[in-house]
């Protein structure tokens, strides 16, 4: 739902995942996760409506996946995936499900009416040993192995490897979007499809990558010494930088944006007598990347419920 905006502050990415349509502002587990949502588009801070998120999905390398209640931390439901050496997890592009990968198969896990369901969406794929990260969408699987320094792109319909790359620098993050694999190393953005590989240099210390329909938002630690991070707004077709924004903080964390939404948020910790996370909203549109006038302060360790 385009108007149900949910975001996640991922301090322990890969351990906790959100599911379902979430309308929430909540701090979960000593600041481990921050969930922030808005009921409808707004421009004034006083229009913010705060609700409590309903569920969290937790997942482990052993294949045990549980559904927890945010309100009381009770385990509502648990499923155990087939026994394998170890699982990796990532959220689906629309943030409504979790993908699990065991080196040969991709499974999807969803929450429906307070219960978890799982099913295999791609099986019998070429085995990728010692996988570290993966991304999956539209019958394309991209897998990174840190030990081997390789990125493998797999067509899950044909069950074939269509491209293999070797990287000297570790891959920080990768996504699949519009038939392409995009990933960042410490200094480069790389785009891969069935045949072609393209690279652009973006400077040192790239931190995160977020794909929109035709754009990419890339966070860089450039400016850290001056108390800044920088957000690059990159055209995914031409790989040209169309605009950039300074975040005003060296420890900025990007918050995941729902599919179809035109805004995302970025937050950072503010130390004070009453510490809080300062969340600021950025618009993604024809004018590039622009900072909105909205900002929200969320106290650390509290749950905000209207």
């Amino acid at each position: 739902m385009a108007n149900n905006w949910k975001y996640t502050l991922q301090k322990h990415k890969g351990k906790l995942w959100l599911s379902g349509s979430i309308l929430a502002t909540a701090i979960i587990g000593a600041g481990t996760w921050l969930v922030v949502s808005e009921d409808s588009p707004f421009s004034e801070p006083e229009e913010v409506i705060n609700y409590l998120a309903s569920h969290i999905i937790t997942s482990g390398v052993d294949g045990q996946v549980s559904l927890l209640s945010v309100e009381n931390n009770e385990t509502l439901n648990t499923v155990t995936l087939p026994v394998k050496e170890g699982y990796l997890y990532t959220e689906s592009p629309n943030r409504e499900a979790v993908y699990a990968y065991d080196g040969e198969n991709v499974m999807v896990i969803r929450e429906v009416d307070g219960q978890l369901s799982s099913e295999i969406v791609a099986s019998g794929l070429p085995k990728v040993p010692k996988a570290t990260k993966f991304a999956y969408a539209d019958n394309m699987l991209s897998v990174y192995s840190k030990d081997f320094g390789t990125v493998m792109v797999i067509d899950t319909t044909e069950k074939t490897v269509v491209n293999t790359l070797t990287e000297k620098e570790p891959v920080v993050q990768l996504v699949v979007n519009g038939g392409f694999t995009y990933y960042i190393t410490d200094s480069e953005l790389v785009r891969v499809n069935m045949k072609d590989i393209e690279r652009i240099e973006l400077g040192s210390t790239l931190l995160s990558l977020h794909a929109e329909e035709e754009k990419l938002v890339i966070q860089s630690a450039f400016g850290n010494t001056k108390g800044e991070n920088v957000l690059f707004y990159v055209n995914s077709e031409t790989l040209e930088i169309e605009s950039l924004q300074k975040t005003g903080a060296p420890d900025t964390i990007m918050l995941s944006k729902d599919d179809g939404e035109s805004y995302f948020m970025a937050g950072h910790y503010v130390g004070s007598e009453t510490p809080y996370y300062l969340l600021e909203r950025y618009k993604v549109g024809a004018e590039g990347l622009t900072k909105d006038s909205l900002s929200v302060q969320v106290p650390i360790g509290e749950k905000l419920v209207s």
Side-chain angles (χ1 to χ4, degrees):
M1 297 175 63
N3 287 339
N4 292 346
W5 301 353
K6 65 174 180 279
Y7 305 91
T8 55
L9 183 68
Q10 302 174 30
K11 284 196 171 182
H12 298 285
K13 186 174 176 67
K15 299 299 182 184
L16 296 178
W17 303 97
L18 299 180
S19 71
S21 296
I22 297 175
L23 303 172
T25 301
I27 298 290
I28 304 173
T32 299
W33 274 76
L34 173 63
V35 185
V36 180
S37 302
E38 305 159 35
D39 186 49
S40 61
F42 61 91
S43 59
E44 298 297 329
E46 56 265 26
E47 295 180 33
V48 176
I49 301 175
N50 298 321
Y51 296 92
L52 182 64
S54 55
H55 302 115
I56 303 174
I57 294 178
T58 69
S59 50
V61 294
D62 60 355
Q64 182 165 296
V65 183
S66 298
L67 184 70
L68 275 63
S69 166
V70 171
E71 187 170 9
N72 55 26
N73 289 326
E74 289 185 2
T75 300
L76 303 178
N77 184 227
T78 298
V79 297
T80 301
L81 303 177
V83 177
K84 296 287 182 178
E85 293 181 0
Y87 283 92
L88 299 175
Y89 300 89
T90 189
E91 73 257 33
S92 64
N94 64 5
R95 316 291 189 253
E96 296 297 335
V98 174
Y99 288 126
Y101 175 64
D102 64 9
E104 295 179 90
N105 308 287
V106 179
M107 285 145 279
V108 63
I109 304 153
R110 298 184 178 91
E111 177 271 328
V112 180
D113 297 328
Q115 296 291 310
L116 290 176
S117 66
S118 64
E119 64 175 314
I120 295 176
V121 293
S123 62
L125 304 175
K127 185 174 178 60
V128 180
K130 297 187 177 181
T132 308
K133 304 176 188 289
F134 81 101
Y136 173 78
D138 303 324
N139 299 317
M140 179 180 287
L141 171 68
S142 296
V143 186
Y144 169 61
S145 171
K146 182 177 180 180
D147 285 0
F148 294 100
T150 56
V151 176
M152 296 179 65
V153 180
I154 299 170
D155 182 328
T156 61
T157 301
E158 299 296 329
K159 304 183 189 301
T160 58
V161 177
V162 296
N163 221 326
T164 301
L165 300 86
T166 301
E167 293 291 343
K168 294 181 180 179
E169 295 183 353
V171 170
V172 177
Q173 191 170 353
L174 72 167
V175 300
V176 174
N177 185 56
F180 290 90
T181 293
Y182 299 91
Y183 63 87
I184 53 173
T185 65
D186 182 71
S187 60
E188 288 186 323
L189 167 65
V190 183
R191 181 176 68 183
V192 186
N193 64 7
M194 301 287 188
K195 298 179 180 179
D196 302 320
I197 302 168
E198 297 179 76
R199 299 172 180 270
I200 62 168
E201 180 77 27
L202 291 175
S204 61
T205 321
L206 302 182
L207 301 174
S208 65
L209 167 65
H210 304 263
E212 311 303 331
E213 290 185 3
E214 298 176 351
K215 311 294 180 183
L216 303 170
V217 179
I218 300 170
Q219 179 190 1
S220 169
F222 180 78
N224 243 15
T225 57
K226 297 183 178 180
E228 294 281 3
N229 278 181
V230 172
L231 305 179
F232 294 105
Y233 192 53
V234 180
N235 185 308
S236 61
E237 182 176 349
T238 64
L239 296 187
E240 294 179 352
I241 299 172
E242 295 191 350
S243 62
L244 59 84
Q245 286 284 342
K246 297 179 180 179
T247 67
D251 55 352
T252 300
I253 300 178
M254 298 284 292
L255 309 184
S256 300
K257 183 182 79 64
D258 270 352
D259 190 39
E261 295 170 349
S262 59
Y263 292 87
F264 67 90
M265 298 187 81
H268 63 271
Y269 173 83
V270 177
S272 64
E273 186 174 343
T274 305
Y276 60 91
Y277 287 105
L278 177 64
L279 306 175
E280 297 180 299
R281 192 170 71 171
Y282 294 82
K283 182 178 181 179
V284 177
E287 298 179 356
L289 187 65
T290 57
K291 183 182 288 189
D292 190 86
S293 60
L294 172 74
S295 64
V296 179
Q297 296 181 10
V298 183
I300 301 293
E302 296 186 11
K303 294 181 179 179
L304 307 182
V305 185
S306 62

